[in-house]
Amino acid sequence: MKTVDMKCRANLATMRTSAVRALSFSAALALTLNPALTPVVAADYRPVAPVAAADGQMNARFLSLGIGKSIVIDLPRDIKDVLVADPKIANAVVRSAQRAYIIGAAVGQTNIVFFDSAGQQIAAYDIAVKRDLNGVRAALKQILPNSDIQIDGLGDGIVLTGTAANPLEAQQANDLAARLAGGADKVVNSIVVRGRDQVMLKVTVAEVARNIVKQLGIDLTANLNYGTSVVTFSNSNPFTALGKNLVDGNNLTTKFGATPSVQATLRAMETAGVIRTLAEPNLTAISGESATFIAGGEFPVPAGYACDPVTHVCTTQISFKKFGISLNFTPVVLSEGKISLRVMTEVSELSNENAITLSQAVTSSSVNSLTVPSIKTRRAETSLEIPSGGAMAMAGLIQQQTKQAISGLPGMMQLPILGALFRSRDFVNNATELVVIVTPYIVRAAAPKDLSRPDDGFAAPADPQAELLGNINRIYGVPGRTEPAKSYRGTYGFITD
């Protein structure tokens, strides 16, 4: 066969031009001079036997190419014509009568069909051109040697499969693929983390609150008669610093004279209190997953009124507010023994300090009142990195508040010594010390025999012990111990720690 005739018969009308011949010559020259650019040979350059379909047409074979990559196709008969569905995605270059090069140009899918001189179909190929991911594969092997991660292209996106040693390596592979694909939304991450670590978080919330309240006041009441004139004097001084009066019912009243008369009431109160709060919630979660723990309750709060339009009867709607101890955290094991934590902890309790009282008239002579308590809350939320077994004070607060108020009769309250008869003094001092300590541990599953329950060693008393001796239990705090036989002598019914 003549070379000129084969070149004229090897391609479509567009491939008969000098530009296509130059492309074929350049591709062949590059392959000859640069062995590194040698394309992958289809079926070891041996002719691929075409498969005939039931309707006489050829079944298309699937080929996957990278952008700028090529593959050599050997055909059983001479090529007369080539049909390329979309030359912008892939192109075919005929080198000889029975050999062609398929070159990937852009990401996408197309098909190529070869015909002989009789117009019969020789072979058909479905071409999928994907991103060239060989460089990324090599980078993943070098950066993450302990992981077995496969990366494949899917359209203009990337699919990650395989296994990773820890969540940090899985995230690194995802970030690398997202940079290559142009965004995280083009990456499908199906990496499985083998041997995922479990993290137990121990949170200690400790608070001591001290308060001192002092209230001292003198109320004066006088009735003065001058002939037919009566003058009444009354001086009652409120306590405003605390917002409420603690000394009601703790009064000393003295009356001077019959007519005219002066009555003095001494109101005095001093109170001191201390509150200690300790909460230690513990929770375990898989690395990368969130865990939530709540121990507390709910209390009812009026949420409005609903009235029946027919009977005009109104009922109070109730909603419930939560209070107690809550813990929420998301751990991520970054490396051996190092943990990244997102923690939110809260300790709340009911309080009467800011309580409100709601009143509703039932009849003209009766009123229903409802007191709604407030909630005192200590909450902390943050992100931190900490080694396994290390502790960190996530939140600390030392707060001291002093309030003092003096009320009285203007002018008279400034008098030396006598001014104490016309004024009241209210003093409030609150001090709070709060600390929240976080300690994470990387944990493994334990055998049941290594765990203990709060009721281990507890044994209920027998009827004679309970009835005659008032015992509430026989054994407590000694797991596996059996009670020896003994007589009813000595002290029973007490638990000694």
Side-chain angles (χ1 to χ4, degrees):
M1 179 182 295
K2 294 181 179 180
T3 304
V4 177
D5 295 337
M6 187 194 68
K7 288 183 178 180
C8 295
R9 294 162 51 191
N11 215 329
L12 297 171
T14 57
M15 300 180 64
R16 295 191 185 101
T17 62
S18 60
V20 175
R21 289 198 299 271
L23 175 61
S24 302
F25 178 75
S26 300
L29 181 61
L31 294 174
T32 303
L33 297 179
N34 191 354
L37 299 178
T38 304
V40 180
V41 180
D44 296 333
Y45 289 101
R46 292 189 297 270
V48 181
V51 181
D55 56 358
Q57 299 293 327
M58 305 298 296
N59 285 336
R61 296 187 58 186
F62 177 78
L63 290 179
S64 178
L65 293 176
I67 300 177
K69 300 294 182 178
S70 63
I71 191 170
V72 178
I73 301 297
D74 284 344
L75 299 173
R77 299 194 302 274
D78 292 349
I79 304 172
K80 170 63 176 179
D81 202 0
V82 180
L83 173 62
V84 180
D86 191 349
K88 295 181 180 179
I89 296 178
N91 204 352
V93 177
V94 177
R95 177 58 182 167
S96 63
Q98 297 182 5
R99 176 171 293 179
Y101 303 146
I102 299 179
I103 304 172
V107 175
Q109 293 185 353
T110 185
N111 65 330
I112 299 177
V113 184
F114 296 92
F115 300 92
D116 58 12
S117 58
Q120 297 295 321
Q121 180 176 316
I122 303 175
Y125 295 92
D126 286 335
I127 310 297
V129 181
K130 305 176 182 178
R131 298 176 183 272
D132 183 11
L133 303 175
N134 291 331
V136 182
R137 293 189 182 97
L140 289 177
K141 290 293 184 182
Q142 182 179 2
I143 298 175
L144 310 174
N146 298 326
S147 299
D148 183 16
I149 299 176
Q150 290 80 40
I151 180 170
D152 295 302
L154 180 62
D156 61 345
I158 293 177
V159 179
L160 297 176
T161 56
T163 60
N166 52 62
L168 178 61
E169 294 190 358
Q171 185 62 37
Q172 289 177 344
N174 186 85
D175 296 342
L176 185 62
R179 180 178 293 273
L180 176 66
D185 57 336
K186 295 184 179 181
V187 178
V188 178
N189 192 345
S190 299
I191 299 176
V192 177
V193 179
R194 60 177 183 267
R196 303 182 70 178
D197 293 314
Q198 297 185 122
V199 178
M200 185 190 75
L201 187 66
K202 177 182 179 182
V203 177
T204 301
V205 181
E207 181 188 27
V208 175
R210 307 176 184 89
N211 62 82
I212 298 175
V213 180
K214 297 179 180 179
Q215 294 181 342
L216 177 63
I218 297 178
D219 297 338
L220 295 177
T221 303
N223 293 320
L224 305 177
N225 297 328
Y226 296 97
T228 59
S229 301
V230 178
V231 178
T232 301
F233 172 80
S234 178
N235 180 31
S236 179
N237 303 314
F239 298 100
T240 59
L242 187 62
K244 58 182 177 180
N245 187 6
L246 297 179
V247 299
D248 288 343
N250 190 28
N251 303 330
L252 178 62
T253 303
T254 302
K255 189 175 183 181
F256 303 94
T259 302
S261 63
V262 177
Q263 180 174 313
T265 302
L266 174 66
R267 296 184 298 163
M269 172 66 73
E270 181 175 348
T271 177
V274 62
I275 299 175
R276 175 179 179 265
T277 302
L278 178 63
E280 290 185 329
N282 296 342
L283 203 59
T284 302
I286 297 176
S287 175
E289 302 293 336
S290 298
T292 301
F293 168 82
I294 298 177
E298 297 181 349
F299 68 97
V301 175
Y305 298 95
C307 299
D308 192 320
V310 179
T311 61
H312 301 288
V313 176
C314 297
T315 58
T316 303
Q317 302 296 310
I318 300 296
S319 63
F320 291 87
K321 300 295 183 180
K322 296 181 179 180
F323 69 96
I325 302 169
S326 67
L327 171 64
N328 180 279
F329 80 104
T330 304
V332 175
V333 180
L334 301 178
S335 59
E336 188 65 28
K338 191 174 183 180
I339 305 170
S340 174
L341 286 175
R342 178 72 178 176
V343 188
M344 194 284 288
T345 181
E346 177 180 311
V347 178
S348 58
E349 61 182 348
L350 298 181
S351 174
N352 291 324
E353 289 186 4
N354 298 317
I356 61 174
T357 301
L358 304 178
S359 301
Q360 180 183 10
V362 180
T363 63
S364 58
S365 59
S366 63
V367 176
N368 286 342
S369 61
L370 176 65
T371 300
V372 180
S374 62
I375 298 180
K376 295 179 63 177
T377 303
R378 279 81 69 199
R379 181 186 298 113
E381 182 175 1
T382 186
S383 296
L384 50 90
E385 289 186 8
I386 189 171
S388 177
M392 182 176 293
M394 186 179 69
L397 173 65
I398 299 177
Q399 180 182 0
Q400 186 170 7
Q401 184 184 63
T402 301
K403 296 186 294 184
Q404 189 167 189
I406 296 179
S407 303
L409 186 65
M412 300 297 294
M413 60 183 293
Q414 279 81 25
L415 293 176
I417 303 176
L418 295 179
L421 300 175
F422 299 92
R423 65 173 177 253
S424 66
R425 177 176 176 264
D426 196 4
F427 174 79
V428 179
N429 184 21
N430 293 325
T432 301
E433 298 179 15
L434 170 69
V435 65
V436 179
I437 300 175
V438 175
T439 307
Y441 299 92
I442 297 178
V443 295
R444 300 290 184 268
K449 63 182 182 62
D450 298 331
L451 303 177
S452 60
R453 305 191 314 269
D455 62 334
D456 288 342
F458 179 85
D463 289 342
Q465 291 176 311
E467 299 294 339
L468 301 178
L469 303 177
N471 289 4
I472 58 176
N473 61 279
R474 289 184 295 171
I475 305 173
Y476 184 80
V478 186
R481 174 184 171 183
T482 57
E483 182 185 15
K486 56 185 178 181
S487 60
Y488 295 117
R489 295 180 180 178
T491 303
Y492 291 88
F494 294 93
I495 300 175
T496 303
D497 294 332

